[in-house]
Amino acid sequence: MSSVASGAATAVPRKKYVRAVGPRLRKLLYFIFVLVALLFANSGYLAIVTFLEWLREETYQDFYYQYMFLAHLVLGLILILPLVIFGFVHLWNTKDRRNRRAVRIGYALFAVSLLILATGLLLVRIGGFDLKQPVARSTVYWLHVACPLAAVWLYWLHRLAGPRIKWRIGMTFAGVAGVAIAAMVVLQMQDPRQWNAVGPESGTQYFEPSLARTASGNFIPADALMNDQYCLKCHADIHKDWSDSVHRFSSFNNAPYFASVSETREVSLARDGSVQASRWCAGCHDPVPFFSGAFDDPNFDMLEHKTASAGITCTACHAITNVNSVRGNADYTIEEPLHYPFANSDNAALQWINNQLVKAKPSFHKKTFLKPFHKTAEFCSTCHKVHLPEALNHYKEFLRGQNHYDPYLFSGVSGHGARSFYYPPKAVDNCSKCHMPLVASDDFGAKLFDDATELSVHDHLFPSANTGIAWLRDRDEIITAHQEYLQDVMRVDIFGIRETGQIDGKLTAPLRPEVPALKPGETYLLETVIRTLKLGHLFSQGTVDSNEIWLDVTVTSGDRVIGRSGAINPQNHNEVDPWSHFVNVFMLDKDGNRIDRRNPQNIFTPLYNHQIPPGAGQTVHYGLTIPKDVTAPIRVELKLQYRKFDQRYMDFVAKKNEQFGRIIRGHQPGQDYTNELPITTMAVDSIVFPVEGVDQDVENAPREIPVWQRWNDYGIGLLLKGKAELRQAEEAFTEVEKLDRYDGPMNLARVLNLEGRLDEAVEALNRADRYRDTEGFPRWTWAWLSGVVNSQQGRLVEAEQNLRSVLEDNTEDMRRRGFDFSLDIEVINALGRTLFDLGVVRERQGREDESRRYFDEAVQRYKKTLQIDPENVTAHHNLQLLYETLGDTENATLHRKLHLRYKPDDNATGRAIRLAREKYPAANHAAEAVVIYPLDRNLNQPESDETKAITRQEEKEATDVQSTGA
């Protein structure tokens, strides 16, 4: 007031009020108002959809949403120049205004507006502004969300010093925009993305006997599944690793697969009049020709068709929308994925816009191509668990094939198997922890994982064991990557030596640092052990009929070889001596011929199965006679060797590919194939024995394996052989108990239970229970064993308590280690059987209500098993019996049929096994209950009877193949 009065007193002329925004600048301001109004309406729609997705855990984004987001980017980019021009001009015009409060608020408003623009540009990731650090991107995102709200508030404060705000215009626009946004959001909510749903039944006709489905029930265009170059633009490191992976070479670009599946197609066409049986392979190996419909053509060009070499593309895995079950056989649902606008455009500018849309708003892209189930073992089970259907083998509806998933799920490694011999410090909860390790990357999708110190992605080479495909492609660095992965996965141990060369001979063990002196002319039994270490499934798995894993034993005295097993025969194209110990499955067809061509349509029954469970051992006996004239100490070297494919299979592969005009690496047309595939030494052990009468000192370093564990591994290997060597296993576990380990009495109880010595098993479990406060004591294993023994002794109530504790206990230690044994179906089934038996007992006692409760709960327990493993034979059989007891004929009949479907056909296998035992002497020997491999058998035999027998069979098959090709 004083300044006004003073002015009047001196008669100073009053200045005319000049608006801060002149006529020309006002036009620019109105243009900015229009852009901002549209942006606020657009942002409201985008924000509400995003909020609803978070709230309801549904995905509502679609093509229309992406165009709205594109409009948001366009409007934002258009706003930059006029806003900056207006801001600086207005700032200059008002810099000397007396209302400093309004000026300062204006400065803040302009700064916030620039921050909105800057954060928007950063989020779009144009040029070098690529926010890869998750914390930085999150911070920028929330600044971009919060700043507009701050800008509205500051604008209101700023305008208090100027002309009155025309609220009516603003509120009218807000009302209209609000109604429009609400209508769009309501429409948007009507069609959430249909993920995690099983595809329609109508489409199965196109894909059976594979269990795969499409989300629409129709075919998917090949081009929609073959856009790997599109993925490359943002995921270069992942694409590079995938390009050398076996997934990339899963289809007809894989020479071994080409050979096998071409035979399956030939057999199917000749037998059925179509190649539809081979769809069983295609759901996992050939998704592009399979889902596009090309695979069904009998004249499909397996070498030249554009889809034949696609392999498992990026989209083939990442467009899967649901894991339908854990039955395997490609039991998943896949869709033609929805891309951002212009994804398939040939125009470079539109492609750039598409790329920036993905980078600016990657959430929908991530939801489309990386769903939570992609990180689970169940996702991997869709293709790494199989059964052979009747449509393929014309034998029976169900025959179990390879199965990575179940042995992993019910192992100690997963934290779900209560019956394991060993447990890790912390459970490994999915397959990718081992087979997709983190690797440093600056890819667009790289992130800072919890256990990583730098931006990383998961390795899409999927390191494992397939050195064969890499060798055929002449990719030495990929072979090395797989070989490095295999280091320390297995262990071998020359554990002990028995006198007389028999399993009941006097045992000296564990060997080293002390070893006994051997006597010339005497026969001994070398006791060796193979142990699985860093492995979550059976060893070996996958192509177990053609994987070549064997023990290579060399015994020398000075320069003289006095014992040999596992040698490679260069005269027979690098075949491994068939009398070696192989860690494989010797699979047969119905006529007793070995399945040696990866010919699944002929699989019938195994002659033997030498797979080793995770965290377990396999004991192998070798007979060694010491020559009377040895003059030096005796050195034994033991190696576990691995070659991806054996010689007989590779010979078939080479000749089959040659038929179609493709010559694989190392093959000379018209000649038998010499197998040069790389041999990986997975584990080694060696020892030197002194010899009586030979005056030379011998030293052996002690093994770094704890003594108790060497005894335990040896006993486990004997236990898993079956009943033939249980007394030797008992001897081993007794030694473990002497070394003050709970494993001793615990595993001794397993042996005694199998032998029916139940009272002694109870005593062993009581001794094991004294260790219950010891760190690492597996109380769940103790409870399971106690339940099994109590059940057999008729103490059903105690058995029920034991088994419930396995399934229901949830201690702090278990939670810390990630253990949850409620999924162990063997324990669930044992509890179900115990409840069933209790129901029978109560029924006999006339306690009907109590009996019914037991029966009903037993039914629920077995149903729980079938949720985890729908093909479980035990559960179906007991449900049949329970429903018969309850008078439910319909359900009893259903489970009787399912039991017969999944039950192995033991009666039909007798003939095949008898014929195989006659045909393959070495395999017959390896299939015996007690196997001793003689180390001096082949020292003077250049070619074995087995080799001659199989060679004759091969010559016949080669003639058949040539006749078919002709």
Side-chain angles (χ1 to χ4, degrees), residues 603-823:
I603 287 178
F604 193 66
T605 189
L607 175 61
Y608 66 72
N609 184 342
H610 285 172
Q611 292 172 293
I612 310 174
Q618 186 170 94
T619 303
V620 186
H621 310 298
Y622 286 97
L624 173 64
T625 299
I626 309 301
K628 295 180 179 180
D629 57 350
V630 293
T631 59
I634 292 171
R635 185 177 189 274
V636 180
E637 183 179 59
L638 176 70
K639 296 179 181 178
L640 183 64
Q641 305 280 46
Y642 162 71
R643 184 164 64 182
K644 176 55 188 171
F645 297 121
D646 63 38
Q647 189 277 328
R648 302 190 183 284
Y649 179 57
M650 285 308 300
D651 186 63
F652 163 74
V653 168
K655 291 173 180 175
K656 195 69 174 178
N657 277 267
E658 184 184 350
Q659 275 187 315
F660 287 84
R662 179 160 68 180
I663 305 301
I664 68 170
R665 183 183 179 188
H667 182 49
Q668 298 298 320
Q671 298 183 21
D672 291 341
Y673 189 76
T674 298
N675 192 350
E676 298 288 351
L677 264 60
I679 295 172
T680 303
T681 300
M682 298 186 67
V684 182
D685 191 20
S686 63
I687 191 171
V688 180
F689 291 97
V691 177
E692 286 189 1
V694 176
D695 188 16
Q696 288 188 32
D697 292 335
V698 166
E699 285 191 17
N700 289 283
R703 292 231 63 179
E704 296 180 357
I705 312 167
V707 172
W708 74 264
Q709 196 174 111
R710 295 182 71 189
W711 275 110
N712 203 45
D713 293 347
Y714 175 63
I716 292 168
L718 295 166
L719 171 64
L720 294 179
K721 285 174 176 286
K723 293 187 176 182
E725 299 182 46
L726 289 180
R727 288 304 174 96
Q728 287 73 25
E730 179 183 353
E731 177 186 14
F733 294 136
T734 300
E735 293 297 328
V736 177
E737 184 172 6
K738 290 178 182 177
L739 294 167
D740 199 27
R741 284 286 307 191
Y742 55 75
D743 311 72
M746 192 94 79
N747 290 333
L748 196 56
R750 299 183 195 238
V751 172
L752 296 168
N753 175 59
L754 286 174
E755 289 194 318
R757 296 154 62 188
L758 298 180
D759 290 339
E760 293 176 73
V762 170
E763 293 172 5
L765 286 168
N766 288 337
R767 296 197 303 274
D769 192 43
R770 297 170 191 162
Y771 294 89
R772 89 166 25 249
D773 294 328
T774 304
E775 183 180 358
F777 179 80
R779 57 195 308 273
W780 46 86
T781 307
W782 181 90
W784 162 67
L785 279 167
S786 298
V788 170
V789 173
N790 277 330
S791 178
Q792 291 189 76
Q793 290 192 316
R795 292 196 284 265
L796 298 178
V797 174
E798 292 85 348
E800 179 192 1
Q801 294 172 348
N802 295 142
L803 297 171
R804 283 189 190 278
S805 73
V806 179
L807 300 173
E808 298 170 5
D809 285 358
N810 186 22
T811 66
E812 181 181 348
D813 179 62
M814 291 169 65
R815 290 191 296 272
R816 178 180 58 82
R817 298 174 69 181
F819 291 171
D820 173 16
F821 301 110
S822 65
L823 299 180

Side-chain angles (χ1 to χ4, degrees), residues 512-527:
R512 282 154 302 170
E514 289 79 23
V515 296
L518 305 184
K519 298 178 182 179
E522 294 293 321
T523 298
Y524 296 91
L525 192 71
L526 280 173
E527 298 286 64

Side-chain angles (χ1 to χ4, degrees), residues 1-13:
M1 293 298 293
S2 61
S3 63
V4 174
S6 173
T10 58
V12 176

Side-chain angles (χ1 to χ4, degrees), residues 422-487:
Y422 295 103
Y423 289 88
K426 191 172 179 61
V428 180
D429 58 6
N430 61 44
C431 310
S432 64
K433 291 283 178 66
C434 291
H435 291 290
M436 297 183 72
L438 294 177
V439 290
S441 171
D442 61 356
D443 273 1
F444 172 73
K447 59 184 288 187
L448 196 64
F449 291 89
D450 292 340
D451 48 354
T453 58
E454 55 189 335
L455 289 172
S456 306
V457 295
H458 284 99
D459 190 349
H460 280 63
L461 176 64
F462 307 98
S464 51
N466 197 330
T467 55
I469 302 305
W471 186 86
L472 290 170
R473 296 179 54 236
D474 200 12
R475 297 284 286 159
D476 289 343
E477 68 274 24
I478 307 304
I479 295 171
T480 301
H482 287 301
Q483 289 178 327
E484 289 175 351
Y485 177 83
L486 291 173
Q487 297 307 304

Side-chain angles (χ1 to χ4, degrees), residues 36-48:
V36 170
L38 291 173
L39 269 170
F40 264 94
N42 172 276
S43 300
Y45 163 79
L46 297 176
I48 291 173

